[in-house]
Amino acid sequence: LALGTPVVTTGAGAAEEVIVSGTNGILVPPDDPIELARALEALLASSDLRARLAREARRTAEQLFDGIETTRQLEAFFTRAVREAR
């Protein structure tokens, strides 16, 4: 995502929390090589699709994985944990 690369993955794990199929990547069912091949074929056939998914993938990475915001959230978490431990 952060590289601005079109993503094709399965819904296994936490991918569905980040990837919205057709918006910032393509989700295919796990263990379905036919659907995987179709998704890859669609990407190879359309430079517009590749560009749109890549742009939205990068935007998603910037929104969800902002280093400064993540650091703030961790700091707040640890501050609360120390207070509660006292």
Side-chain angles (χ1 to χ4, degrees):
L1 292 175
L3 293 174
T5 302
V7 174
V8 177
T9 189
T10 69
E16 289 179 314
E17 294 177 19
V18 176
I19 303 298
V20 178
S21 196
T23 300
N24 62 355
I26 299 175
L27 288 171
V28 297
D31 301 318
D32 192 336
I34 301 298
E35 285 302 312
L36 176 59
R38 286 183 180 144
L40 294 172
E41 182 178 46
L43 281 176
L44 291 171
S46 174
S47 62
D48 289 340
L49 178 61
R50 287 192 309 273
R52 182 172 53 80
L53 293 180
R55 184 177 56 251
E56 292 304 317
R58 176 65 188 186
R59 185 173 299 158
T60 298
E62 289 172 352
Q63 290 173 348
L64 294 179
F65 305 109
D66 176 89
I68 293 171
E69 181 57 29
T70 300
T71 301
R72 284 185 189 134
Q73 291 174 9
L74 282 171
E75 180 182 25
F77 170 79
F78 286 119
T79 300
R80 281 191 310 274
V82 167
R83 276 192 209 130
E84 291 173 11
R86 292 180 186 166

